Amino acid sequence: MLIFKEANIKEDSESYANKHNLSYVKLKGTIGCMINGAGLAMATIDMIKFFGGEPANFLDIGGGADTEHVKAGFITILKDPKIKVILVNIFGGIVRCDIIAEGIINALKELSSDIPIVVRLEGTNRQEGLARLKAVSNLSVIPSYSLEEATQKAVMLSQKKAECS
């Protein structure tokens, strides 16, 4: 369940994403995807399908993402009531993984969601980002160290939550 603290909760996901300079396309699945880069997003969607899951969206936060882009990404994804799990897959080249981790922490503290989040960080300041996520024990963040591992975990969690529903 998600508790929105923002004023305009009725705004659709695509409009909200567009206002925040995010590339977003709604799909039919239950695994929300937050990724930087269209190529990485397509590879992630392919991997989710390969392991038997269904992506709920294509969301590219971009190469210059900051903590506000991450928060806007979570709000966009969590507007979809079918979301069972969120997969964050970031390659830190231009964007730093520690900044993404800080954005995840801030967004989750503010949004009050109990949806599990699988996070794969790779690249610049990866260790610092993972350390920040691990330091906040009350978040439902599951670190992963490869795209394969991350997508397998996300698919498994999505299927488990679907069985419980």
Side-chain angles (χ1 to χ4, degrees), residues 57-162:
N57 64 275
F58 171 105
L59 177 76
D60 178 1
I61 61 172
D66 59 17
T67 57
E68 288 304 310
H69 282 96
V70 173
K71 177 181 166 190
F74 275 108
I75 290 170
T76 301
I77 291 170
L78 292 169
K79 285 177 176 280
D80 183 347
K82 294 189 304 182
I83 297 294
K84 304 275 187 225
V85 62
I86 296 173
L87 172 58
V88 178
N89 186 16
I90 300 296
F91 180 77
I94 298 170
V95 66
R96 295 181 359 220
C97 293
D98 58 323
I99 299 296
I100 298 299
E102 200 61 40
I104 292 169
I105 292 165
N106 293 344
L108 295 181
K109 284 180 180 177
E110 191 169 328
L111 297 175
S112 304
S113 175
D114 62 353
I115 293 174
I117 298 157
V118 178
V119 177
R120 177 197 175 234
L121 301 174
E122 188 61 58
T124 307
N125 292 354
R126 173 182 184 249
Q127 293 301 336
E128 293 88 338
L130 290 172
R132 285 185 186 186
L133 291 172
K134 287 178 187 175
V136 184
S137 60
N138 63 332
L139 299 178
S140 57
V141 174
I142 302 151
S144 295
Y145 301 97
S146 71
L147 176 55
E148 182 176 356
E149 177 189 11
T151 52
Q152 286 177 323
K153 286 179 180 180
V155 169
M156 180 194 65
L157 287 165
S158 177
Q159 289 170 346
K160 277 186 181 180
K161 287 195 111 183

Side-chain angles (χ1 to χ4, degrees), residues 24-60:
Y24 176 83
V25 177
K26 172 103 174 73
L27 302 172
K28 295 182 181 182
T30 59
I31 300 172
C33 302
M34 183 184 309
I35 304 157
N36 67 325
L40 186 59
M42 294 305 294
T44 303
I45 287 170
D46 286 347
M47 289 290 285
I48 289 169
K49 289 180 153 289
F50 178 79
F51 288 115
E54 287 296 326
N57 64 275
F58 171 105
L59 177 76
D60 178 1

